[in-house]
Amino acid sequence: EFRRVLFRSRRGNKRQVGSSRMARLEQLKDAFVVYDRPARPDLPILVVDDVVTTGGSVMSACRALQAAGYQNVSVLVFAQTA
């Protein structure tokens, strides 16, 4: 079963080029809010991201989904920066 889950950034995206890893992680802490609560929290959720640098965005997205009640959250990434 496929179902789109809606979540978005709580605030505008701050440019992170040149920021340290710790600064990036802090900027992205609690960055997302979920607008779609699970009817079936046991269904798997897949977060898709194009590029991961520090992992802050996907970690924040996963935390928001889990806080909303989703129990099985996985991540698919197409590229990772060095």
Side-chain angles (χ1 to χ4, degrees), residues 6-77:
L6 301 177
F7 66 99
R8 71 176 63 180
S9 177
R10 289 183 186 270
R11 52 191 172 274
N13 292 337
K14 194 173 186 181
R15 188 154 171 85
Q16 296 184 11
V17 173
S19 296
S20 71
R21 183 178 197 283
M22 292 307 294
R24 288 174 186 242
L25 293 174
E26 185 60 34
Q27 290 166 1
L28 291 167
K29 185 178 177 186
D30 300 322
F32 296 98
V33 62
V34 177
Y35 290 103
D36 190 7
R37 302 293 180 205
R40 294 202 33 216
D42 59 318
L43 290 177
I45 298 295
L46 180 63
V47 175
V48 179
D49 197 357
D50 56 351
V51 178
V52 168
T53 302
T54 62
S57 294
V58 294
M59 286 191 300
S60 183
C62 289
R63 277 195 298 269
L65 289 163
Q66 290 168 337
Y70 293 95
Q71 300 169 357
N72 186 2
V73 180
S74 299
V75 177
L76 172 66
V77 175

